[in-house]
Amino acid sequence: MDIAARISSGQGDFLLFAVTPPRKSTPAERLPEIARATVERLDHLDLDGLVLYDIDDESSRNPEERPFPFSPTVDPAEYRADHLRQWRTPVIVYRAVGKYQGEHLRSWIADQDPGRTLSVLVGAASSEASPAVSLAEAQAMSAELNPDLLLGGVAIPERHSRRENEHLRLIAKQEAGCRFFVTQVVYDLNAAKNLVSDYRYECASRGLAPVPIVFTFSVCGSLKTLEFLRWLGVDVPRWIENDLRHATNPLAASLEQAAATAVELIDFCRRLDVPFGLNVESVSIRREEIEASVELASQLAGHLRR
Amino acid sequence: MDIAARISSGQGDFLLFAVTPPRKSTPAERLPEIARATVERLDHLDLDGLVLYDIDDESSRNPEERPFPFSPTVDPAEYRADHLRQWRTPVIVYRAVGKYQGEHLRSWIADQDPGRTLSVLVGAASSEASPAVSLAEAQAMSAELNPDLLLGGVAIPERHSRRENEHLRLIAKQEAGCRFFVTQVVYDLNAAKNLVSDYRYECASRGLAPVPIVFTFSVCGSLKTLEFLRWLGVDVPRWIENDLRHATNPLAASLEQAAATAVELIDFCRRLDVPFGLNVESVSIRREEIEASVELASQLAGHLRR
């Protein structure tokens, strides 16, 4: 069963891989070969879907200096339409709704085939921003223009650790039309388990069926990547930082940890009967980190499908 | 190699089981049968040692009401001498030093065979208490009267999460004579890994050899046990609380989680070359929780010795 059918029927057990489109500054003639390299690298994994992020300048979210300077990327919807036609399974296209004019979003939403495209709509990075289209408006557009288009929302276990209400935010998003959630990168297993558990029992008490939560994993092989993850709000544990400074093979250690965390979450979600998906994110542009991400996805595919 | 020889040479890979002596109110004629039941229950595990806790009224540590009223227990040194002579491997006897008069501690320390007894000396629960013997005085006594007696100290990963200096406290204890450390119950894997990692790299930068860290695990099968663990300062995650309220078999879930955490810590310590031991603590007096603790120890023995 494909991912859209699975999500429509509240089922999980799927595997995604997430990439960021190339920078806007990339010469146009290089885009096809970059897309082809991505498809070739991922083809053998038999993924249930590809995730395309939409990178916003999140500097309004965080007053600290961004570890990597912000560099606008190709619009994920255009990149997909122009260069990823050969991708076989559905694509989950992120849309940072604050970046777009209403008409642009409206026509894109109306044009999508719900069997081939899913979308994660992301609100403005800061509540102070006043975007042309709000998240609620984008959700309403989708319900009106393309009611079968499956919309996802963002889930942040770290926020649950601090405020203990992320499960209620998920349920509110679900009531606003979200049919699945995607987390940011998970390093803190207990935080993720706490969120799943609170969400599951809150759903039960309201007579709601839980929707799939897609857990995102990545490898972290350099201090720069670590710094960037932290800037994005991920609690990357200190031992990983120490590994990066001292260990002979921190990338292997990070891969092993991500796989172990994923396996525990799989077992946990199965036990609690919460549908889940897995998403491997390639954060860095370093070749060895990309290859380690592919290896992580391969290990998780093996575990999921055995 | 027995545990004293291992610790003396900075090696780990040993398995302990921890019990609390019976309450002082227990009729004297029942003590031998309680001790015999403990020995019989644990005999097949082929443990490297038995830990005997020394329960203090820790109400000075925590202004909240104690979930189980404090009930004084038999002195672990007396219980061991009077009723556990048939125990084959060494015993690690806790001494809450603030409870004892100097002369009592002095003669006990002098009398111990360092091949049969190890001791964890625990300071007063609150820095406001003014005990007859301080922790530093007890350590000095031991160095003077029985220099081969192996002393351990307490390690608290949760404290490391809050203050980020627990590794420095361990090194200070090590310099004061501690030859191993025992943690409180570990539920937060990242906190434990962070402590191990910071400790290991701080030792390396000072040219010190790390000493074995014994990680303690327990099962939690009732809300009362959970409440007590939290009162003791253990961060028991919310998902375990939810399990206890809702799941059909929370004890099995807790056992599975403790085993998975232990296995990850074993792999982590081996990778970082930090010697470690495992300790399974039976917190509760409920039969099914005791049996689940024995099962946990059996699983960990299998993993450690395979």
Side-chain angles (χ1 to χ4, degrees):
Chain A
M1 211 192 306
D2 75 23
I3 185 182
R6 277 181 189 273
I7 290 176
S8 294
S9 61
Q11 291 179 64
D13 277 67
F14 49 82
L15 178 64
L16 311 175
F17 196 96
V19 298
T20 301
R23 294 185 183 166
K24 268 202 175 128
S25 57
T26 312
E29 66 275 17
R30 284 212 57 222
L31 295 178
E33 78 188 77
I34 292 173
R36 195 164 49 240
T38 298
V39 173
E40 280 169 11
R41 190 179 283 124
L42 301 179
D43 200 48
H44 73 284
L45 293 173
D46 203 15
L47 295 163
D48 297 297
L50 183 70
V51 175
L52 289 182
Y53 286 133
D54 192 6
I55 302 301
D56 200 1
D57 179 5
E58 307 209 23
S59 57
S60 59
R61 193 192 289 273
N62 189 336
E64 302 289 317
E65 197 189 343
R66 203 179 199 276
F68 297 108
F70 174 65
S71 172
T73 49
V74 173
D75 178 331
E78 286 173 19
Y79 184 58
R80 188 264 180 105
D82 295 344
H83 302 291
L84 286 168
R85 297 195 166 275
Q86 72 273 44
W87 182 262
R88 288 173 297 150
T89 54
V91 179
I92 294 96
V93 182
Y94 272 58
R95 304 307 309 251
V97 296
K99 281 169 68 174
Y100 303 100
Q101 293 305 312
E103 202 37 58
H104 174 96
L105 265 186
R106 180 176 284 275
S107 68
W108 182 77
I109 286 171
D111 282 351
Q112 299 310 305
D113 170 357
R116 300 287 307 151
T117 304
L118 297 82
S119 186
V120 173
L121 300 179
V122 183
S126 157
S127 52
E128 285 164 43
S130 54
V133 183
S134 73
L135 180 56
E137 285 163 349
Q139 286 164 334
M141 257 182 214
S142 181
E144 179 203 336
L145 300 170
N146 197 343
D148 293 333
L149 182 66
L150 294 171
L151 297 185
V154 171
I156 303 187
E158 276 91 343
R159 200 155 55 191
H160 197 54
S161 302
R162 287 192 298 273
R163 302 186 195 161
E164 300 193 348
N165 68 352
E166 186 72 2
H167 61 307
L168 302 178
R169 294 174 67 128
L170 297 189
I171 287 173
K173 288 180 185 179
Q174 194 171 334
E175 285 167 345
C178 277
R179 305 293 297 277
F180 62 102
F181 297 107
V182 186
T183 70
Q184 66 178 14
V185 178
V186 174
Y187 280 101
D188 188 335
L189 180 63
N190 269 326
K193 282 182 165 179
N194 287 340
L195 176 58
V196 171
S197 173
D198 282 341
Y199 170 67
R200 182 240 184 270
Y201 291 113
E202 185 69 27
C203 281
S205 81
R206 298 186 186 203
L208 280 176
V211 304
I213 301 178
V214 182
F215 297 99
T216 301
F217 300 95
S218 79
V219 296
C220 179
S222 76
L223 284 166
K224 198 85 185 169
T225 303
L226 174 128
E227 205 187 328
F228 185 52
L229 285 166
R230 285 192 176 151
W231 189 89
L232 289 170
V234 179
D235 286 346
V236 186
R238 230 181 117 64
W239 68 264
I240 291 187
E241 179 178 339
N242 290 343
D243 267 6
L244 287 170
R245 290 188 199 282
H246 301 284
T248 47
N249 196 340
L251 193 56
S254 163
L255 196 162
E256 192 183 299
Q257 124 93 18
T261 303
V263 167
E264 274 209 62
L265 270 174
I266 291 170
D267 293 347
F268 187 72
C269 289
R270 286 189 174 149
R271 182 163 69 73
L272 288 198
D273 216 9
V274 171
F276 67 91
L278 305 176
N279 176 34
V280 176
E281 172 177 342
S282 186
V283 185
S284 149
I285 53 165
R286 290 172 57 219
R287 170 175 290 273
E288 60 175 358
E289 289 190 76
I290 296 172
E291 285 168 359
S293 302
V294 174
E295 170 59 24
L296 175 60
S298 167
Q299 289 184 17
L300 297 184
H303 189 86
L304 207 55
R305 291 164 186 160
R306 76 178 176 200
Chain B
M1 213 193 302
D2 76 22
I3 186 184
R6 275 180 190 274
I7 290 176
S8 294
S9 61
Q11 291 179 65
D13 277 67
F14 49 82
L15 178 64
L16 312 175
F17 195 97
V19 298
T20 301
R23 292 184 186 167
K24 269 203 173 124
S25 57
T26 312
E29 66 276 16
R30 285 211 57 222
L31 295 177
E33 76 187 79
I34 292 173
R36 194 163 52 238
T38 297
V39 172
E40 280 169 9
R41 189 178 284 123
L42 301 179
D43 200 48
H44 72 285
L45 292 174
D46 204 14
L47 296 163
D48 296 298
L50 182 70
V51 175
L52 289 181
Y53 287 133
D54 192 6
I55 303 301
D56 200 1
D57 178 5
E58 307 208 24
S59 56
S60 59
R61 193 193 290 271
N62 189 335
E64 303 289 317
E65 197 190 343
R66 204 178 198 275
F68 298 107
F70 175 64
S71 172
T73 48
V74 173
D75 177 330
E78 286 174 19
Y79 184 59
R80 189 265 180 106
D82 295 344
H83 303 291
L84 284 168
R85 297 198 165 273
Q86 72 272 45
W87 182 262
R88 288 173 296 150
T89 53
V91 179
I92 294 94
V93 182
Y94 272 58
R95 304 307 309 253
V97 296
K99 282 168 69 175
Y100 303 100
Q101 293 305 312
E103 199 40 54
H104 175 97
L105 265 185
R106 180 177 283 277
S107 68
W108 182 77
I109 287 171
D111 282 353
Q112 299 311 304
D113 170 357
R116 300 288 306 151
T117 305
L118 298 81
S119 186
V120 173
L121 301 178
V122 183
S126 158
S127 52
E128 284 163 42
S130 52
V133 182
S134 73
L135 180 57
E137 285 164 349
Q139 286 165 334
M141 257 181 215
S142 181
E144 178 203 335
L145 300 170
N146 198 342
D148 292 334
L149 182 66
L150 293 170
L151 297 185
V154 171
I156 303 186
E158 275 90 344
R159 200 154 56 190
H160 197 55
S161 301
R162 287 193 298 274
R163 303 188 194 158
E164 300 193 348
N165 68 351
E166 186 73 2
H167 61 307
L168 302 178
R169 294 174 66 128
L170 298 190
I171 287 173
K173 288 179 185 179
Q174 193 171 332
E175 284 167 346
C178 278
R179 304 295 297 277
F180 62 103
F181 297 105
V182 185
T183 71
Q184 65 177 15
V185 178
V186 174
Y187 281 100
D188 187 335
L189 180 63
N190 270 326
K193 282 183 168 179
N194 287 340
L195 176 57
V196 171
S197 174
D198 282 342
Y199 171 67
R200 183 242 184 268
Y201 290 114
E202 185 69 26
C203 281
S205 81
R206 298 186 186 201
L208 280 175
V211 303
I213 301 178
V214 182
F215 297 99
T216 301
F217 300 95
S218 79
V219 297
C220 178
S222 76
L223 284 167
K224 199 84 185 169
T225 303
L226 174 127
E227 206 187 327
F228 185 52
L229 285 167
R230 286 192 176 151
W231 188 88
L232 289 170
V234 179
D235 286 346
V236 186
R238 230 179 117 66
W239 67 264
I240 291 186
E241 180 178 341
N242 290 343
D243 267 5
L244 288 169
R245 289 188 200 281
H246 302 284
T248 47
N249 196 341
L251 193 56
S254 162
L255 196 160
E256 193 184 299
Q257 123 94 18
T261 303
V263 167
E264 275 209 59
L265 270 175
I266 291 171
D267 292 347
F268 187 72
C269 289
R270 285 188 174 150
R271 182 164 69 71
L272 289 198
D273 216 8
V274 171
F276 66 92
L278 304 175
N279 177 33
V280 175
E281 172 176 343
S282 186
V283 185
S284 148
I285 54 166
R286 291 173 57 220
R287 169 176 291 273
E288 60 174 357
E289 290 190 74
I290 296 172
E291 284 169 358
S293 302
V294 174
E295 171 59 25
L296 175 60
S298 167
Q299 289 185 16
L300 297 184
H303 189 86
L304 206 56
R305 290 165 186 161
R306 75 179 177 201

